[in-house]
Amino acid sequence: MEYSYSFLILLLPFLSFLVLGLAGMKMKEKVAFAIGTSVLGLLFALSLYTAYTYFFAIGRDAATGLYPTVTVFNFSWLKFSELLTFNIGFRLTPISVMMLIVITTVSFMVHIYSLGYMAERDEHYHKEGYEKGFQRFYAYLSLFTMSMLGLVVATNIFQMYLFWELVGVCSYLLIGFYYPKHEAVHASKKAFIVTRFADLFFLIGILFYSFYVGTFNYDLTADQELNAHLAGAAWVIPMALFLMFIGGAGKSAMFPLHIWLPDAMEGPTPVSALIHAATMVVAGVYQVASLFPIYIKFGAVEQLHWIAYIAAFTAFYAAAVACCQRDIKRSLAFSTISQIGYMLVALGVCFALDNHEGGLGYMAAMFHLFTHAMFKALLFLCSGAIIVIIGSNFKEYMGGLWRYMPVTCACFAIGVLAISGIPPFAGFFSKDEIIVACFQFSPFMGWFMTIVAGMTAFYMTRLFCVIFLGQSYYELDPEHRRRPQEVPAVMWGPLVFLAVISVFAGMIPFGHFVSATGLSYDIHIDWSVAGTSIAAGVIGIALAMFMYAPKKTPVADMLAKRLPRLHRAALNRFYIDDVWQFLTHQIVFRFFSRPIAWFDRRVVDGTMNFMAWGTQTAGETIRPWQSGDVRQYAVWFLTGSVALTLVLLCIL
């Protein structure tokens, strides 16, 4: 069988997690690095081989022109009845094969890069009293990678949910990796709680869907579709799909469930690259894409459009916040929220299984997921290199770094141009297709997302300027400040690799491999749309260069003074976190949690305590009856016999 080795794609990272998790502390750091990285290198090779076999060696079915859906294995894990059966398997589709490439590529680069990054950071934290956890870090990375791989090759929605929750656990462990640090623990709990709240809706949606359709599978038979409609559930399935999307909105940080992602920057920067580029945050996009045929079959087009509206607002909101952030990692975090919004907008404006009118957004979303993974991983790893050298996340301690970190500067510039949609970089091709799909949906949506594209170019160029151009923090006091320098090759090597992909990935004929119908689709650039989006990007770049490239920034300072409330609001994320804090502490905790806690302590615990007290008191009362005195037992026996005799005589 062509894919008989595929079980290794899930088994190898799990074994790496077990070995590093159980025996890692007895190993040297470089041994743990060798084990974790070798496993990911092998996974990367297996994924490339799987993609080659799937897309080229076997290719499309001659009769249908479609790439086949291959279920390599699928076994029953839990079986309660014929309808209630939970399966676990390995399923290959065009988008799952594409995701194998994305996950293993980014994770492999993160594994290599982390050897240099964690050595510097662990030494820093160890001096401050924090635990050195190099081996533990690589164990968590392996489990995180395995979880996302299991999610994308799932044969059914329940398996997706199983690995979906495991992805959430891994993010909790990695965000809170430096657990003696209060901010890291707070961020990990915040991420876990917010995503668990959203996942409750995902689970409810799965239960509705499986009850009415009678299966957890993605691929429905004609009988299952008919039964669902005959059961009067035509309205239930769209509702169930939207409930599932709420779970995806939590994972992909859509407004207003985005609040966990900026705080997740407390984790190590390589983790941020993995979360934002290839694992947790893109899980929501993959969920909607994998269920897209079901949305269309059950007429859930309105739900798709609501997804587009939510995602479009999220993209604009996150872009506005990113324009004022001081922390470079949080700037990139809001950039990710905005770009994920782009992908979900593309899926949401779809309303048909068609490669052109109505279905272009599907291909565009997957294309942008692929290209974004590469340049966003590049940008995060570049930011990690800067943080290691500077020792801070804040822009005030940077500036003028292009002289001292030329490789990092060049790679970061490529990432900025790619995400800004400037040709011939990868982001131009995928983002252009999204905007074309938006214009097909409505002119308003097309122009709205074009404006967001211009904002993206502005805040990313601003970030580049405050890091690499402008006034150098080091040169203000070179005698007392550490001279910046380029990071070692183990760190800049992955940067160069991802930068090369970010340059050329857009030239891949992506529509030949992934499309709404599954048929080959040739991408044609609509220059009337592309020209407008390029102009928006160029304007954004030029404006940011004008405001932030000089050593002094009078225009930016003047705007901050003229519009203090707006600037302060954007800097504080428009106070959405404060709104959630008020809702949870002042309403939920006060009016729900405290009464429930009182009922639990007074009524539930009180009832149990009363029963325990009653049992104990009764025991203490009858305890003297068991004195061990035979004469006393004889008295009780005779007394009882006489009493029983008298009762019987009275009755008779």
Side-chain angles (χ1 to χ4, degrees), residues 89-134:
F90 196 101
R91 177 177 181 262
L92 295 178
T93 63
I95 59 171
S96 66
V97 174
M98 180 269 293
M99 287 300 299
L100 291 181
I101 297 295
V102 168
I103 296 165
T104 56
T105 301
V106 174
S107 186
F108 185 37
M109 292 300 105
V110 165
H111 274 70
I112 296 172
Y113 174 94
S114 297
L115 177 64
Y117 181 88
M118 294 302 292
E120 290 282 342
R121 297 295 286 179
D122 273 355
E123 181 182 355
H124 170 70
Y125 282 115
H126 186 59
K127 289 177 181 177
E128 295 185 4
Y130 295 109
E131 177 183 329
K132 294 181 71 175
F134 189 92

Side-chain angles (χ1 to χ4, degrees), residues 241-264:
L241 290 169
F242 192 78
L243 288 172
M244 291 187 220
F245 163 71
I246 295 176
K251 276 285 192 292
S252 291
M254 291 293 99
F255 185 91
L257 300 173
H258 66 282
I259 56 173
W260 66 269
L261 190 58
D263 291 343

